[in-house]
Amino acid sequence: MNNKQRDALSFFCQVEDDVATAPHGGPGEICEVLPPGIGRLRRGKHFSVFKKEHAEEAAAVYNFLLALDSYDDFKANVEKMRPLLNEGIYLYAISVAWLHRTDTVGNLLPPSWQINPKCYFSSEAILQAKREARRRRDVTVGSRPVPLFSTGTVRDAEYKMAWWREDVMFNDHHYHWHQVYPWKGIDGKTKDRQGELFYYMHQQMLARYDAERLGVGLMRVEPYVDWSRPIKEGYNAHLTDYYGTQQFSARPANLYLADSWQDPNNPILVSQQVYHYNRLLDAVNTGQFLKSDRTTEEVTIDRLGAAVEASVSSPNIALYGSVHNIGHDLLARITDPDGRYKSADGVMGDAAVSVRDPIFFRWHKFIDNLFVLHKLNLEPYTEKDLALDDLTITSGYVKVPSSGERNVLTTRMEDFIVDISHDMFLDPDPQDSANTPVNVKVKQINHDHFEYIITMESTKAMKVAIRIFIAPSFDEHGTQLPLSSQRSLFIEMDKFVHNTHAGTNTITRSSSASSVIKPTELTYDQLQKRNTGEEEGVCTCLADRYCECGWPEHMLLPRGTPSGMQFDLFVMATDWSADSTDNLDRGTSYCGVKNKKYPDSRSMGFPFDRKLKYNTIDEFVQGFSNMYSTPVKITYTGYKTSE
Ligand code: CUO
């Protein structure tokens, strides 16, 4: 194994005396080499990237590490910091530094669900899996992974979506996205179109969530709008903090949002949130931000994303506040707003686990509606914006090679076994022998691999972008969705560049090549074994990709229904020589490209991000030769057990 890949594992491995060096709950000892502002959050306390002071401390750590010239210095400082930093800050900030240093390229971080399994698997399952592993050493009972305990029951309608919200790699996707795009920026600066990507990545999560809700017979998610009314859905994650000492607070149904006076010097008031939200509405309605020097700035989707999140690039933090982050924080504190019971925060406070809670999606739908309002103020795309007359898509369909069926895709739930023995925060037990796997079994969705087959007539050689989306065809009542409602449900499935020649062109594109999915997924053990024939710095994904970021491949398709749920497949070709920003001939949809501009100059979500003057998807497509649409069915074939 190359040395740096080994370091990526060792930074996050178990350390025998980690707990002893700085006792749980005790203050970290500040090392003289560390800059001011580091070591403030005590060890054993929950870290929340949505809390300003925590995010600032994490940023101080990764910016310090990023400024170190030599790799050896970087490594030495990481090792020095480990026993001093709050555990959550360490995990988050060292990962951010690793993802952004130029001398670590090509070396992958171990999966967070293996090095910090307590944030992914219920405490009951972890306890039982450990017992099982210890028992196995004494008695030969075979390797029996412990199934994950369910976090709810059928009494809760939202429990129908638990399999999706609690998916390990979905949670991981969200956590990594916030590492690639920290709201405190890298060295105080945000990246190209970071605000727009904040909007788009979360909007796509909502589109996927709504498609799944329709599939299980639930209404599309309602935005959490009225903060003076109780929240009717509750949630209990059954997860503990990193050391397993304190559970993330459950959030019972029917609680009200309340002011938080946990820190009397820094109260968080619901009325302040209302004030800032109203200022954001002012900006959306007038099309202008008011800056602190009293000048104005045009509202764009990117700048609105910066204002709403609110990143270091916010046009005016005093006026527009930090509505998104503070919403997370208040919802995380809702069970014990003033801290009188010393309760831990709920999962909404931690980017690694927040998508588990149904309120996450209600909160983000509320946030998304600000972006929707802004986009509704924009002129619809013109025919010139949408057309590509030199190209005609004559057919498009999907095919599952294993069945040969056209336009019928298949999904299933299957078992996924995870070895959680690499928990970096595990309090080592002298009885445990090294390298004993501790297995838990989770169910996750998967699909049969499929292909898009697209045929086009081109009048000349061209470089085109092929944009593929799907959206449910029908609403909750089985009525065909008008395009005005359906457009927000379109899920980006792929975007790629193709060089056409004059005449007929047929493209076969594999579902596994999708631009939305995470390129590599190697387990801790696979990373350990990755030494054969490897040169230092050789990557299993492209060096300018954020290898840890992207949608999990097994969730690429919505699950559908047993009888087949109809979706509209939409394919559009545009002129990539005009669209491309950096001559980079590939799309990256949710994660962008390392150290480069976002490769596609079109608005994210194009062409569905603006009002469309067509009634249905068919009517839209009929007017343009470079578009194609066809119904496809997604059939859920049930659970296939591995036993
Ligand atoms: Cu990703 Cu609210 O931004 O969770």
Side-chain angles (χ1 to χ4, degrees), residues 297-328:
E297 182 189 347
E298 186 191 352
V299 173
T300 63
I301 187 69
D302 187 46
R303 301 298 290 137
L304 187 58
V308 171
E309 187 178 11
S311 74
V312 277
S313 305
S314 169
N316 188 348
I317 279 281
L319 201 57
Y320 303 114
S322 186
V323 171
H324 162 261
N325 293 322
I326 288 178
H328 271 275

Side-chain angles (χ1 to χ4, degrees), residues 49-50 174-175 177-178 198 201-202 205 309 324-325 328 348 350-351 354-355 360 363-364 367:
V49 78
F50 301 118
H174 182 247
Y175 180 58
W177 189 90
H178 282 282
F198 168 75
M201 195 283 290
H202 290 90
M205 280 172 42
E309 187 178 11
H324 162 261
N325 293 322
H328 271 275
M348 271 297 273
D350 190 328
S354 53
V355 299
F360 175 95
W363 178 244
H364 266 275
I367 292 290

Side-chain angles (χ1 to χ4, degrees), residues 158 206-207 209-210 213 218-224 233 358-366 369 476:
E158 295 298 321
L206 288 166
Y209 190 56
D210 273 344
R213 292 179 73 86
L218 291 173
M219 302 290 283
R220 281 167 278 175
V221 68
E222 277 177 45
Y224 175 45
E233 312 86 355
I359 195 62
F360 175 95
F361 295 90
R362 295 197 58 198
W363 178 244
H364 266 275
K365 186 89 152 200
F366 162 78
N369 279 347
E476 290 83 349

Side-chain angles (χ1 to χ4, degrees), residues 31 37-38 57 154 157-158 164 204 214 227 249 284 325 353 375 393 430 460 486 491 504 528 532 547 561 569:
C31 178
I38 294 182
E57 183 175 345
V154 289
E158 295 298 321
W164 193 87
Q204 285 287 290
L214 290 173
W227 302 341
S249 281
V284 167
N325 293 322
V353 288
K375 291 271 185 178
I393 302 180
K460 58 181 183 182
Q486 192 187 25
I491 297 165
T504 306
Q528 268 181 327
T532 41
C547 301
T561 57
L569 172 72

Side-chain angles (χ1 to χ4, degrees), residues 54-358:
H54 295 193
E56 279 171 356
E57 183 175 345
V61 174
Y62 63 70
N63 286 327
F64 170 75
L65 293 171
L66 285 169
L68 298 170
D69 287 334
S70 87
Y71 179 81
D72 289 344
D73 270 357
F74 163 65
K75 184 181 169 187
N77 275 283
V78 170
E79 286 166 352
K80 211 176 288 180
M81 284 178 174
R82 176 150 185 186
L84 308 175
L85 288 179
N86 167 273
E87 300 80 359
I89 288 189
Y90 176 86
L91 176 56
Y92 178 84
I94 306 304
S95 304
V96 174
W98 188 269
L99 296 174
H100 290 90
R101 280 190 69 89
T102 52
D103 49 15
T104 52
V105 164
N107 297 287
L108 303 176
L109 292 171
S112 345
W113 34 272
Q114 283 195 287
I115 57 173
N116 185 20
K118 296 192 198 75
C119 277
Y120 297 84
F121 307 103
S122 60
S123 41
E124 298 98 320
I126 289 178
L127 198 66
Q128 196 169 320
K130 278 197 227 161
R131 275 198 202 123
E132 175 69 20
R134 283 171 194 156
R135 195 159 68 91
R136 204 163 62 228
R137 274 206 319 278
D138 304 332
V139 192
T140 311
V141 292
S143 173
R144 193 173 69 85
V146 170
L148 216 56
F149 293 76
S150 54
T151 55
T153 70
V154 289
R155 285 184 172 181
D156 173 21
E158 295 298 321
Y159 179 64
K160 285 184 173 182
M161 286 295 296
W163 64 273
W164 193 87
R165 290 191 317 265
E166 294 172 359
D167 184 278
V168 172
M169 291 167 194
F170 167 44
N171 279 261
D172 197 41
H173 157 65
H174 182 247
Y175 180 58
H176 277 303
W177 189 90
H178 282 282
Q179 289 181 331
V180 173
Y181 290 95
W183 62 283
K184 285 287 163 194
I186 299 292
D187 210 10
K189 289 194 250 342
T190 48
K191 298 179 185 175
D192 181 45
R193 292 170 75 182
Q194 179 163 335
E196 185 178 6
L197 199 50
F198 168 75
Y199 137 73
Y200 184 58
M201 195 283 290
H202 290 90
Q203 188 277 334
Q204 285 287 290
M205 280 172 42
L206 288 166
R208 287 177 171 278
Y209 190 56
D210 273 344
E212 301 290 1
R213 292 179 73 86
L214 290 173
V216 298
L218 291 173
M219 302 290 283
R220 281 167 278 175
V221 68
E222 277 177 45
Y224 175 45
V225 180
D226 189 345
W227 302 341
S228 63
R229 292 175 63 84
I231 300 169
K232 60 181 185 294
E233 312 86 355
Y235 183 66
N236 184 3
H238 294 258
L239 296 176
T240 60
D241 64 5
Y242 304 144
Y243 274 140
T245 49
Q246 197 173 25
Q247 284 223 331
F248 284 98
S249 281
R251 188 180 58 71
N254 297 315
L255 294 185
Y256 292 79
L257 206 61
D259 293 349
S260 172
W261 286 87
Q262 284 183 15
D263 177 357
N265 290 325
N266 188 20
I268 302 177
L269 308 181
V270 177
S271 53
Q272 282 278 24
Q273 279 281 82
V274 174
Y275 171 85
H276 291 308
Y277 174 67
N278 284 333
R279 301 292 76 72
L280 286 165
L281 279 179
D282 288 343
V284 167
N285 292 343
T286 60
Q288 299 288 324
F289 289 116
L290 190 60
K291 313 227 319 173
S292 54
D293 62 3
R294 314 310 288 173
T295 60
T296 58
E297 182 189 347
E298 186 191 352
V299 173
T300 63
I301 187 69
D302 187 46
R303 301 298 290 137
L304 187 58
V308 171
E309 187 178 11
S311 74
V312 277
S313 305
S314 169
N316 188 348
I317 279 281
L319 201 57
Y320 303 114
S322 186
V323 171
H324 162 261
N325 293 322
I326 288 178
H328 271 275
D329 203 11
L330 281 176
L331 287 162
R333 298 180 187 196
I334 197 166
T335 44
D336 189 12
D338 60 10
R340 70 181 67 177
Y341 306 114
K342 295 184 164 180
S343 306
D345 284 0
V347 291
M348 271 297 273
D350 190 328
V353 288
S354 53
V355 299
R356 291 169 176 267
D357 187 335

